[in-house]
Amino acid sequence: MAFAGFPRNVRYTPVPNPLFGKLLEQIDDLDELKCTLRTIWLVHQKKGYPRFVYLREMTSDPTLVRSLSGESQEVADRVTSALQKAVERGTLVTGTVVQ
């Protein structure tokens, strides 16, 4: 099925410019690129500060899961691996939950 184009009143998500330059040249893993883009989108859906996304949100996100397709455990492993690559690259950061 072909993409029908963007709707007239489409909403936008800001994406850091380096993602369209040096980072795009460096990222050679499609899973990493998809997870990075989806993380940026999910973060921008959040309210308040700080904004963050849990790993379980990523591994259960219907759009991301469909885009990676496969068995659920396989998808969870792929998401985890892709996010680790993005963290190692410095594109995303990880932290610890403080209770």
Side-chain angles (χ1 to χ4, degrees):
M1 174 184 236
F3 179 64
F6 296 104
R8 188 171 181 178
N9 294 321
V10 70
R11 293 178 52 198
Y12 293 89
T13 300
V15 176
N17 281 339
L19 190 56
F20 297 111
K22 290 273 186 206
L23 286 171
L24 188 61
E25 293 173 10
Q26 294 172 6
I27 296 172
D28 59 358
D29 182 309
L30 186 56
D31 289 354
E32 179 186 352
L33 182 60
K34 287 181 177 187
C35 286
T36 299
L37 290 172
R38 194 62 178 170
T39 301
I40 291 168
W41 184 85
L42 286 167
V43 165
H44 283 282
Q45 304 309 303
K46 304 279 182 159
K47 304 287 185 214
Y49 181 83
R51 296 178 186 187
F52 53 87
V53 178
Y54 289 104
L55 177 60
R56 69 176 175 266
E57 289 178 82
M58 297 294 291
T59 58
S60 64
D61 179 73
T63 299
L64 185 58
V65 169
R66 279 192 308 272
S67 79
L68 298 176
S69 65
E71 300 298 320
S72 61
Q73 185 56 45
E74 177 187 335
V75 170
D77 291 343
R78 289 173 64 187
V79 168
T80 302
S81 175
L83 291 173
Q84 183 61 41
K85 288 178 183 178
V87 168
E88 289 170 3
R89 186 179 308 287
T91 310
L92 300 176
V93 295
T94 185
T96 343
V97 176
V98 178
Q99 297 184 4

